[in-house]
Amino acid sequence: MTTTYRTCPRSGLQFDTEAEKLMLANAVVAVVFLLIGGILAIGVVLTRWPAIHWLAADTFYMTLTAHGIDMLIFWIIFFEIAVLYFCSSTLLRCRLATPKVAWLAFALMLIGSITTNVAVFQGESSVMMTSYVPMMAAPSFYLGLILFAVGALVGCFVFLGTLVIAKKEKTYTGSVPLVTFGAIVACIIAVFTIASGAIILIPTFLMSVGIVKEVDPLVYRTIWWAFGHSSQQINVAAHISIWYAIAAIAFGAKPMSERVSRGAFLLYILFLQLASAHHLLADPGLSSAWKVVNTSYFMYFAVLASMIHGLTIPGAIEVAQREKGYTKGLFEWLRKAPWGNPVFSGMFISLIGFGFLGGISGVMMGTEQLNMIIHNTIYVPGHFHATVVVGTTLSFMALTYFLIPVLFKREMIAPGLAKLQPYLFGLSMYFFCLVMMGAGTLGVSRRHWDMLMGGNPLAYEFPGAAYLMMGLVGIAGIAAILGGAIYIYITVGSLLWGKKLDIGSLSDKTVPIPVSAPSAVVHGHGSAGFAAPGTFSLAMVFLVSFVLYYFINWKYLSQVWGLS
Amino acid sequence: MSAILPPSDRLWWKQPLDRVEGTWIVIAFIWCMIMFVMMVGWHIYGKQNLSTETYKTSGAMFTAKAQAVVDKYTVRKETDKQIPVVHPPAGSDVYLVAKLWDWWPIIELEKDKTYKLHLTSMDYNHGFSLQPVNINIQVVPGYEHVVKITPNQSGTFSIVCNEYCGIGHANMAGRIYVK
Ligand code: HEM
Ligand SMILES: [Cu+2]
Ligand SMILES: [Cu+2]
């Protein structure tokens, strides 16, 4: 297989032409699913806004099912496949292994995602993305998901194959870059995830066509969450890799220490993906010992890893900025950061929101006893919009702004809007998550069409504050959707009518990554220094918020009915 | 050396840690251990721990037991549907059936007394969400979950279903009175 290599004049990155086409195709389809999911979000959010209560119940549940699947699975995984190809073929400067097979993977994913969408919109599969048995969807619902998963699995193997090629053809020396290492972690977790998904979705598919008689509901939940939980770890590994990449691109930041960052990634493989019990803490039949071990030893090592990345990424930026001379006080490095560059601002808003909102709420929810006071309330979507929207989606958006000139070879249209977009989207999402968590604390349920409960005489009369919170969810949600729309407008618009940029030089041979001399900086911040004091004080603010919030919830728990 | 380039120092695992990193790792680790101890400690000293006592059951078996309690302890009927209100003695077993789209029966308890609440679903997953207390428990079909509860306040409490269970999900409500 012969291919050509293009060296981008703007970034110096070298793209295998075949890989480039695949990245583009996967990213474009991802954005289309974000668009569909975003349109569906309008229906979801305007129905949950009590004063508007827009859609009928059946349409709402159908819309919510499609929103969850199109966003969480299709938008994110299509984009991740593009990221995997970027982290292997582009960063290692080698050809993509078996592009034909990669196209097959793409086709399977595309057919699968369309099949599932058709099934949902036919109306007989409003089962939510979790599709808990014995509630059944149409067979094509499961079939589509299985096809998609097979495609994604094939994509993972293309990525792994590309690593082998790079090694064999010696396009780099020493170890792979940190960002590629993070992508490898994401890929390994993905393989585990897809295997769990297959173990549970294939029997469920067979049940839907009548071949298997019964899938046990509790077994289903347990294995489904082995899949559902670890799929979120793919996202975490992927967007943290992107944060490192953006820190490197925007600041030339070097990881503070490769050892710490890589070690933290390894903790994800070893622990995070096993820690699925926090979805099952309110379930019958699972032992407390398993719940405690799973949510502490497994979960906390993963939490530890995230707390490490949360420090080392801004820390690396701080070190790079201080070297440029921004050394005044604790925070000059941060004040003088390029806040008008959406690549950076998106990444930083994502990092802070993921840590403060998603991280702290996630650990609270993942505590065995505390889980009882939020399980299945709208607090839960409040938490995961902070992880998967502020964390993953916003970092993908930030990366896109970098890729528009580099990969799309177009000048970005509407740079003024682009400057604004991360703030509008990110900050309204912060607020959206906070008010959802507030409403959940007041008992509002997730996946629930009517807070008035259809006039049922036994209904709970939610307090006025709960209605107020849900109204604010509506307003913040619409603002976030607007932010999402701007992103799509800029991305699609640049691709279609942005000014064409110089594509750079083509060659039919790859230029290996030059070996760089060991930099002096490594020694510049040895163990005697305290190289990133600003970041450290931010970390302390984080820790204090974390500790306070954690114990407030224990206090709250101690006041509810006794349970034993 | 940059995150998107191979480490320039080939022996990167021998690099020293910066003090910022080292300190933070230690702090974060200690915090994780504190959180672990909290969870275990609450099992020993805390008063809110979700029981894990669970039995396999079937709709027919569970309904029979629930019916027996209803027959014995019904004190009145409420709403147009004539839902029985059971007032079982303190310490006894109480059965609550979740089915599309009702919680059955209505339960009347006494404050500061402990009861064994048996939960199951006749059909899909349901969610037991006690309001305004905000205790939430997953109700899974085929499994009988026995939870010891001790109400610490009197009043009227609603059970909202907070696991999606089909078109009538949002209307599914039940009630517990505490005297
Ligand atoms: C852009 C603005 C967005 C808005 C306003 C929005 C709004 C909502 C709301 C209100 C819910 C909860 C509904 C309920 O439980 O009753 C929800 C659920 C959900 N959203 Fe979003 N969302 C947005 C973007 C996203 C994105 C980007 C993702 C994923 C990357 C996402 C993933 C999900 C998932 C997985 C669910 C859960 C569905 C379920 O319960 O099965 N959302 N969304
Ligand atoms: Cu229900
Ligand atoms: Cu329900």
Side-chain angles (χ1 to χ4, degrees):
Chain A
M1 187 88 199
T2 54
T3 183
T4 49
Y5 299 90
R6 178 178 74 84
T7 302
C8 165
R10 287 164 294 279
S11 60
L13 293 171
Q14 180 194 281
F15 291 91
D16 163 10
T17 319
E18 288 297 318
E20 196 169 14
K21 283 186 208 138
L22 277 154
M23 284 179 230
L24 198 63
N26 279 285
V28 165
V29 173
V31 172
V32 171
F33 277 110
L34 180 68
L35 172 66
I36 299 173
I39 293 171
L40 295 164
I42 302 174
V44 172
V45 90
L46 289 185
T47 307
R48 297 251 31 189
W49 185 343
I52 296 185
H53 204 232
W54 183 34
L55 299 176
D58 54 348
T59 322
F60 170 73
Y61 293 128
M62 181 178 85
T63 305
L64 184 56
T65 304
H67 169 74
I69 293 174
D70 283 337
M71 289 295 209
L72 191 66
I73 305 181
F74 300 147
W75 142 247
I76 289 191
I77 296 183
F78 270 111
F79 201 94
E80 274 164 0
I81 294 289
V83 170
L84 285 186
Y85 295 161
F86 179 83
C87 290
S88 51
S89 141
T90 308
L91 292 185
L92 297 179
R93 294 203 187 185
C94 77
R95 67 189 166 85
L96 191 76
T98 58
K100 285 219 179 81
V101 178
W103 282 113
L104 173 72
F106 175 74
L108 281 173
M109 289 167 67
L110 191 60
I111 294 167
S113 52
I114 293 173
T115 308
T116 299
N117 265 284
V118 169
V120 172
F121 288 117
Q122 281 171 341
E124 300 304 311
S125 302
S126 301
V127 293
M128 305 294 143
M129 55 164 191
T130 42
S131 55
Y132 293 137
V133 298
M135 188 184 277
M136 293 311 285
S140 56
F141 174 88
Y142 307 104
L143 191 63
L145 290 176
I146 293 167
L147 285 178
F148 180 84
V150 172
L153 190 63
V154 173
C156 287
F157 285 118
V158 172
F159 166 77
L160 294 173
T162 308
L163 298 179
V164 175
I165 290 182
K167 186 100 211 153
K168 240 184 26 214
E169 299 181 357
K170 298 199 172 58
T171 57
Y172 67 99
T173 38
S175 310
V176 297
L178 178 60
V179 171
T180 307
F181 188 82
I184 296 174
V185 166
C187 176
I188 291 172
I189 299 176
V191 172
F192 170 90
T193 301
I194 294 167
S196 315
I199 291 173
I200 200 60
L201 283 179
I202 291 174
T204 310
F205 167 67
L206 294 177
M207 184 174 158
S208 73
V209 292
I211 296 175
V212 166
K213 248 185 72 206
E214 205 206 339
V215 174
D216 183 90
L218 195 57
V219 171
Y220 179 93
R221 286 175 58 81
T222 311
I223 303 178
W224 196 91
W225 280 112
F227 154 73
H229 171 76
S230 49
S231 67
Q232 298 320 300
Q233 303 329 310
I234 309 173
N235 303 341
V236 173
H239 74 230
I240 289 184
S241 305
I242 290 175
W243 294 346
Y244 276 112
I246 289 178
I249 291 163
F251 297 95
K254 315 154 182 72
M256 294 184 77
S257 110
E258 295 273 351
R259 183 164 57 145
V260 170
S261 299
R262 284 173 202 245
F265 270 125
L266 273 184
L267 286 178
Y268 283 159
I269 299 196
L270 295 176
F271 296 102
L272 235 190
Q273 43 151 336
L274 299 174
S276 56
H278 59 251
H279 296 276
L280 306 167
L281 293 174
D283 276 34
L286 306 167
S287 82
S288 289
W290 182 66
K291 288 176 181 171
V292 169
V293 169
N294 192 290
T295 53
S296 56
Y297 279 115
F298 294 170
M299 176 75 175
Y300 291 158
F301 276 113
V303 170
L304 183 66
S306 291
M307 285 171 79
I308 293 173
H309 291 303
L311 177 95
T312 58
I313 295 167
I317 294 177
E318 179 171 355
V319 171
Q321 287 282 80
R322 280 178 188 277
E323 272 163 20
K324 287 190 196 128
Y326 299 120
T327 50
K328 241 188 269 143
L330 278 179
F331 294 116
E332 194 193 16
W333 63 275
L334 193 57
R335 264 185 290 117
K336 294 282 167 66
W339 292 102
N341 175 355
V343 180
F344 166 74
S345 64
M347 171 260 166
F348 208 80
I349 294 171
S350 164
L351 185 148
I352 297 290
F354 180 77
F356 276 86
L357 298 173
I360 294 179
S361 64
V363 174
M364 190 287 271
M365 295 184 0
T367 304
E368 192 199 351
Q369 295 92 342
L370 296 179
N371 183 265
M372 276 186 297
I373 56 180
I374 57 89
H375 176 71
N376 269 355
T377 66
I378 200 146
Y379 189 100
V380 178
H383 152 75
F384 68 66
H385 281 74
T387 57
V388 96
V389 185
V390 175
T392 311
T393 299
L394 186 53
S395 356
F396 288 0
M397 289 175 170
L399 184 68
T400 310
Y401 294 128
F402 168 71
L403 291 179
I404 286 173
V406 171
L407 176 66
F408 295 179
K409 293 156 284 192
R410 299 289 179 135
E411 195 174 280
M412 192 200 290
I413 61 162
L417 268 182
K419 223 178 205 178
L420 184 88
Q421 192 273 340
Y423 295 94
L424 177 61
F425 184 75
L427 300 182
S428 57
M429 255 301 154
Y430 280 18
F431 188 66
F432 175 83
C433 296
L434 280 172
V435 281
M436 277 228 250
M437 290 179 203
T441 318
L442 296 170
V444 180
S445 307
R446 71 183 287 195
R447 300 175 166 176
H448 198 274
W449 176 68
D450 182 12
M451 284 169 73
L452 293 168
M453 308 187 74
N456 187 330
L458 303 180
Y460 173 54
E461 218 174 288
F462 281 95
Y467 284 94
L468 175 67
M469 292 283 180
M470 291 309 290
L472 294 174
V473 166
I475 295 170
I478 293 299
I481 291 168
L482 190 64
I486 295 178
Y487 163 79
I488 290 172
Y489 165 70
I490 294 170
T491 309
V492 177
S494 304
L495 196 58
L496 294 181
W497 59 82
K499 198 177 115 216
K500 286 200 174 121
L501 295 174
D502 172 21
I503 66 163
S505 57
L506 288 172
S507 123
D508 48 9
K509 268 227 246 11
T510 176
V511 187
I513 305 171
V515 186
S516 48
S519 53
V521 190
V522 179
H523 316 291
H525 52 277
S527 53
F530 214 97
T535 302
F536 192 75
S537 34
L538 284 181
M540 284 299 146
V541 173
F542 173 77
L543 187 73
V544 170
S545 329
F546 196 165
V547 172
L548 282 178
Y549 186 69
Y550 181 76
F551 284 112
I552 286 170
N553 279 287
W554 280 109
K555 171 96 179 83
Y556 176 41
L557 178 75
S558 72
Q559 291 162 351
V560 308
W561 294 15
L563 290 160
S564 56
Chain B
M1 192 176 62
S2 144
I4 55 171
L5 292 175
S8 56
D9 194 340
R10 291 199 59 169
L11 300 177
W12 49 265
W13 55 89
K14 289 197 178 155
Q15 282 168 20
L17 292 195
D18 184 82
R19 205 182 262 173
V20 173
E21 284 180 312
T23 319
W24 178 244
I25 292 171
V26 171
I27 295 173
F29 184 78
I30 294 173
W31 172 235
C32 289
M33 289 304 111
I34 293 174
M35 293 195 293
F36 167 65
V37 170
M38 269 308 287
M39 246 197 297
V40 177
W42 203 266
H43 272 283
I44 305 168
Y45 302 108
K47 295 208 166 55
Q48 292 83 11
N49 286 291
L50 185 61
S51 141
T52 55
E53 187 180 342
T54 304
Y55 306 96
K56 271 286 217 183
T57 189
S58 69
M61 257 163 68
F62 193 88
T63 313
K65 290 195 275 185
Q67 190 65 52
V69 172
V70 168
D71 290 344
K72 218 159 148 191
Y73 298 117
T74 298
V75 288
R76 60 179 185 279
K77 297 197 168 165
E78 282 190 3
T79 77
D80 295 349
K81 288 193 190 159
Q82 293 292 306
I83 305 173
V85 180
V86 296
H87 187 123
S92 65
D93 294 275
V94 198
Y95 293 82
L96 182 63
V97 179
K99 59 181 193 300
L100 301 174
W101 287 282
D102 287 299
W103 297 96
W104 185 89
I106 294 175
I107 299 168
E108 196 169 85
L109 306 173
E110 278 162 40
K111 187 174 167 240
D112 296 327
K113 299 277 163 43
T114 300
Y115 301 83
K116 286 170 98 175
L117 179 64
H118 296 241
L119 294 167
T120 199
S121 159
M122 295 292 126
D123 31 65
Y124 299 152
N125 275 267
H126 293 281
F128 173 92
S129 177
L130 184 70
Q131 295 304 340
V133 186
N134 214 4
I135 290 175
N136 304 281
I137 301 170
Q138 188 77 24
V139 183
V140 183
Y143 291 87
E144 176 173 346
H145 191 184
V146 189
V147 184
K148 279 206 208 116
I149 56 168
T150 317
N152 61 0
Q153 59 199 136
S154 47
T156 302
F157 299 89
S158 284
I159 308 166
V160 179
C161 178
N162 73 357
E163 180 58 82
Y164 171 67
C165 56
I167 190 71
H169 162 60
N171 301 345
M172 180 167 163
R175 178 155 295 177
I176 296 182
Y177 293 106
V178 181
K179 288 255 143 95

